[in-house]
Amino acid sequence: DKPVQSIELVFFALMGVAGGLIGAGFNKVNVAWSSIRMRPGFRRRINGVIEVTLIALVTLVSSWPLMFTRLLSTDVIHALFESCGPGSENQIRTYIGLCSEDTDYAPATASLLLSLFAAGLIRLLQMTITFGTACPAGLFVPSLFIGACFGRCVGNGIRGLNEHYAFVPGASVEPGIYAMVGAAAVLGGVCRVTISLVAIMLELTGGMTYIVPFMLAVLIAKIVGDALNEGIYDLYIVLKGYPFLQEDADVTFDERCCDIMETRLVTLDIALCPRYVDIRDMLQAYGYRGFPVVNGGHFIGFVKRSKLEALLSALAGLDSTDITMTGMGVAGGVSGDQLSPPFQREEDPLPLQMLLPYVDSTVMRMVPDASLAQAHKVFLQLGVRYIFLVGSQGLFPTQDVLQGILSKKKFLLALKSGRVGHMADNPRGVPGWGRQTSGARIQQSLRDADSFAAGVGSPTEASPEASPVNSDEEESSTQPPAARQRQQAH
């Protein structure tokens, strides 16, 4: 509870700079390592179990030599935060060498300072290779540990210098305060959180005395880190390809939805009277998660793959949990030839009253000429994953002809790559994307989205750009041969 001297705010600001640099360096190295970990070649050679086992072995071997890393991180963090005084002789802080036997601070020897610095460096390397693995791995506690070690090292060094030069007049330097400020600075540099982090640190300390040092270090760490790269969670959103769209008030759109929509789609045309075997073959041939439903030239809605699987299971006299259709066939040991409806032949058309209840007709629809600014608002405010673009076309004068689909993931990729959207200070595209992902990765992601969402080829084809790489979107594909043959027969 000792008050902080004004000159110490300079040291806290410098610790904020160091925390921002450490956090930005961790984010860059960890994301680069995670991108290597996600490569198919790496996955084939080292599976998740082997990787976690090797990391656990490396962590065990590297943590044993130092007392700071050998004990539990939470116990060491509390010891680094606490001060030395009466009652500390039997505590962990004395056992690990932070306090002397006479309840005073241990001398700031080179051995102690080097041990604290080495403990923080070892835990930083461990966190770099651990975060992003196949098992849950911590980020908050290791970041607090790293910052506390570095902060305590700085605090002990300043306390030793102050004993000789007395540049902090009228008060003694408390290394525990520097440990707490260092922990907040490193965690702020990694995650780029501000208010919530200051609240967490206030809960840990239980007082309002150090709110100014916490705020100063956290804000400076965020400013320094943002100047180098994004926060770890923002980087992982890009790395994993999650369709997360945040609002950018400065972005303006001159393009229309038809400029980036997908046009070549598989459609389930109920005007062709699809048969049981047609739907079954379509699900077996393609691994896509949904199909637009049309009635000739009129758009009806969207049917999910799971709904079609449930329909086929019901027609086959099986429960939907007994069979799961996949892109390569039927799982569970049941072949497609064994699925014969007990009440009709597979060649008979399915009654529309059985198919239409599975179709979602309340999907979002827009005209192809609609501005991308409007689509941006729809994705943000309504939370939809895809927009169906309908209008008049060719021989169909009505306004409900399906002309394309605009998915949230495709829109996000086009926005981040600079194909659409403009900002006042960067007319060529949205700034900051180059720090997150290389241009080659952006172009590859766009080609993957084009091939999967627009349905360029079958998932069973050998072309790498036509392989299904979609994660959360319910996309479509090109029209299957069975459907084309059925159309020619009619």
Side-chain angles (χ1 to χ4, degrees), residues 312-471:
L312 294 186
S313 298
L315 293 177
L318 301 175
D319 186 74
S320 60
T321 60
D322 296 334
I323 173 176
T324 302
M325 306 289 291
T326 64
M328 302 302 295
V330 183
V334 182
S335 64
D337 296 333
Q338 295 174 336
L339 300 179
S340 299
F343 59 92
Q344 65 180 21
R345 299 191 310 273
E346 292 184 355
E347 301 297 329
D348 294 338
L350 291 179
L352 294 182
Q353 61 269 23
M354 300 180 63
L355 180 60
L356 291 181
Y358 293 89
V359 179
D360 182 11
S361 59
T362 62
V363 294
M364 185 65 194
R365 312 182 189 199
M366 295 176 60
V367 295
D369 290 334
S371 172
L372 282 178
Q374 185 177 359
H376 187 205
K377 293 181 180 179
V378 169
F379 285 131
L380 282 174
Q381 300 176 4
L382 299 184
V384 298
R385 292 183 177 180
Y386 40 80
I387 298 175
F388 294 87
L389 304 173
V390 296
S392 60
Q393 186 179 37
L395 301 177
F396 303 96
T398 58
Q399 297 295 324
D400 59 351
V401 180
L402 179 63
Q403 299 188 18
I405 293 179
L406 178 60
S407 65
K408 184 178 180 180
K409 177 176 288 189
K410 178 62 182 296
F411 174 79
L412 182 62
L413 289 173
L415 175 63
K416 293 297 184 180
S417 65
R419 290 176 53 183
V420 299
H422 306 277
M423 299 191 70
D425 57 347
N426 188 5
R428 299 183 61 183
V430 178
W433 178 258
R435 298 197 304 265
Q436 301 173 0
T437 308
S438 62
R441 182 174 178 84
I442 297 173
Q443 296 301 326
Q444 181 62 38
S445 300
L446 288 172
R447 289 195 296 268
D448 292 339
D450 287 338
S451 61
F452 189 79
V456 182
S458 165
T460 58
E461 293 178 3
S463 174
E465 295 185 4
S467 60
V469 295
N470 183 42
S471 57

Side-chain angles (χ1 to χ4, degrees), residues 187-228:
L187 185 55
V190 172
C191 302
R192 312 295 161 80
V193 290
T194 53
I195 299 177
S196 60
L197 179 56
V198 173
I200 292 174
M201 298 307 299
L202 290 178
E203 292 177 358
L204 291 177
T205 58
M208 301 287 291
T209 307
Y210 309 122
I211 186 172
V212 174
F214 290 152
M215 294 176 60
L216 180 64
V218 169
L219 290 176
I220 292 179
K222 177 176 173 55
I223 293 173
V224 173
D226 287 342
L228 299 176

Side-chain angles (χ1 to χ4, degrees), residues 54-101:
L54 293 176
I55 291 177
L57 180 61
V58 171
T59 302
L60 173 63
V61 173
S62 60
S63 298
W64 184 257
L66 294 178
M67 187 63 66
F68 293 102
T69 55
R70 189 184 306 173
L71 301 177
L72 291 177
S73 297
T74 53
D75 295 337
V76 177
I77 291 174
H78 283 291
L80 293 172
F81 284 176
E82 294 173 348
S83 60
C84 296
S88 62
E89 58 273 5
N90 297 322
Q91 302 296 326
I92 295 180
R93 54 185 180 272
T94 302
Y95 175 70
I96 61 180
L98 296 177
C99 302
S100 61
E101 295 295 337

Side-chain angles (χ1 to χ4, degrees), residues 36-263:
I36 297 175
R37 183 190 290 126
M38 293 172 57
R39 294 177 181 175
F42 184 90
R43 294 286 90 192
R44 287 194 301 266
R45 294 178 177 86
I46 303 177
N47 57 35
V49 177
I50 296 178
E51 181 186 6
V52 172
T53 303
L54 293 176
I55 291 177
L57 180 61
V58 171
T59 302
L60 173 63
V61 173
S62 60
S63 298
W64 184 257
L66 294 178
M67 187 63 66
F68 293 102
T69 55
R70 189 184 306 173
L71 301 177
L72 291 177
S73 297
T74 53
D75 295 337
V76 177
I77 291 174
H78 283 291
L80 293 172
F81 284 176
E82 294 173 348
S83 60
C84 296
S88 62
E89 58 273 5
N90 297 322
Q91 302 296 326
I92 295 180
R93 54 185 180 272
T94 302
Y95 175 70
I96 61 180
L98 296 177
C99 302
S100 61
E101 295 295 337
D102 56 355
T103 68
D104 195 6
Y105 286 98
T109 60
S111 176
L112 177 59
L113 299 182
L114 185 60
S115 298
L116 289 169
F117 182 82
L121 182 61
I122 291 174
R123 191 52 50 85
L124 178 61
L125 297 177
Q126 292 174 351
M127 185 175 67
T128 301
I129 64 175
T130 302
F131 186 73
T133 56
C135 68
L139 183 66
F140 270 58
V141 173
S143 299
L144 293 176
F145 182 93
I146 295 168
C149 287
F150 291 151
R152 188 82 181 204
C153 180
V154 173
N156 284 345
I158 294 178
R159 180 181 177 85
L161 293 175
N162 186 60
E163 292 177 354
H164 294 83
Y165 301 101
F167 51 84
V168 183
S172 61
V173 177
E174 292 291 340
I177 301 177
Y178 288 81
M180 290 185 288
V181 174
V186 172
L187 185 55
V190 172
C191 302
R192 312 295 161 80
V193 290
T194 53
I195 299 177
S196 60
L197 179 56
V198 173
I200 292 174
M201 298 307 299
L202 290 178
E203 292 177 358
L204 291 177
T205 58
M208 301 287 291
T209 307
Y210 309 122
I211 186 172
V212 174
F214 290 152
M215 294 176 60
L216 180 64
V218 169
L219 290 176
I220 292 179
K222 177 176 173 55
I223 293 173
V224 173
D226 287 342
L228 299 176
N229 53 28
E230 302 295 330
I232 186 64
Y233 298 118
D234 294 327
L235 292 175
Y236 265 81
I237 287 175
V238 177
L239 181 65
K240 299 292 185 178
Y242 297 143
F244 176 75
L245 186 63
Q246 57 185 353
E247 185 171 2
D248 290 317
D250 296 334
V251 179
T252 58
F253 297 93
D254 298 331
E255 298 81 8
R256 302 170 298 170
C257 293
C258 58
D259 296 331
I260 60 173
M261 71 178 183
E262 316 297 345
T263 56

